[in-house]
Amino acid sequence: MIKTVFQAKKFIMNNKKAFIFDLDGVIVDTAKYHFLAWQKLAQQLGIEFTPEHNEQLKGVSRVRSLDIILELGGIQASQEDKNKWLIQKNDDYLSYLVDIDESEILPGVLPVLHYLKHKNQQIALGSASKNAKPILEKTGILPLFDAIVDGNDVSNAKPDPEVFIQAAKKLNATNENSIVFEDSVAGIQAANIAKMTSVGIGDSTILNEAKFIFKDFTFIDVSFIESLIN
Ligand code: B16
Ligand code: MG
């Protein structure tokens, strides 16, 4: 009897799907604000920082992002200066977010989220950002999420899969039954390392390690979502 209950529980867990969404660059267009804030700091430090350089920062933690920029400029800095610049960058970034609302949600995202809810699917956030919750609140979509894992919860940044593994666990789904939507190379690598289904959102030449790639959510149709559910 105990064995039967255990097996039934295991069966239910193994069949649950987890749809895990990255935030910046996938759900909302805040990647451009990160870029503007980093670019301002880079200019101040006399470092050239282009949109191409910015690709290396997508999905990467705030601390690591600063290190990458300083490496680009060949600058060695004290921890005190680094802390000061991290606060400055985040303050600048937050100043862009003051007035954001639902219009910041990227095209095609809301229909996909609503369709998944309509089909009783579980949705989680898997983001490196420490500003994730206020962004979901301001854009009005926080209630659509069954679980949230963000930069405040993890100690290892993408491409380490910790953020997605935690999200799948919160939803009682196996890694194999988890689907990750990501705009960053580091995030796609994290999903692949965890043996999750990786769906790249963005440029196919940059995200070529993803199992599926779409330019944006308007290219994702119901039949694709259904194929992920079943
Ligand atoms: P914050 P994601 C990531 O969010 C961004 O892509 C990355 O550019 C940023 O450095 C990181 O969050 C940390 O963000 O400074 O707000 O804590 O794409 O994983 O949702
Ligand atoms: Mg992202």
Side-chain angles (χ1 to χ4, degrees), residues 22 24-25 182-183:
D22 173 55
D24 292 323
E182 250 294 346
D183 72 315

Side-chain angles (χ1 to χ4, degrees), residues 22-25 34 38 57-62 65 89-90 93 126-132 158 182-184:
D22 173 55
L23 181 66
D24 292 323
H34 279 296
W38 282 127
L57 269 51
K58 286 187 178 174
V60 174
S61 72
R62 200 181 306 167
S65 297
K89 184 268 170 182
N90 197 50
Y93 175 63
S127 166
S129 176
K130 293 186 170 178
N131 298 301
K158 302 166 189 175
E182 250 294 346
D183 72 315
S184 73

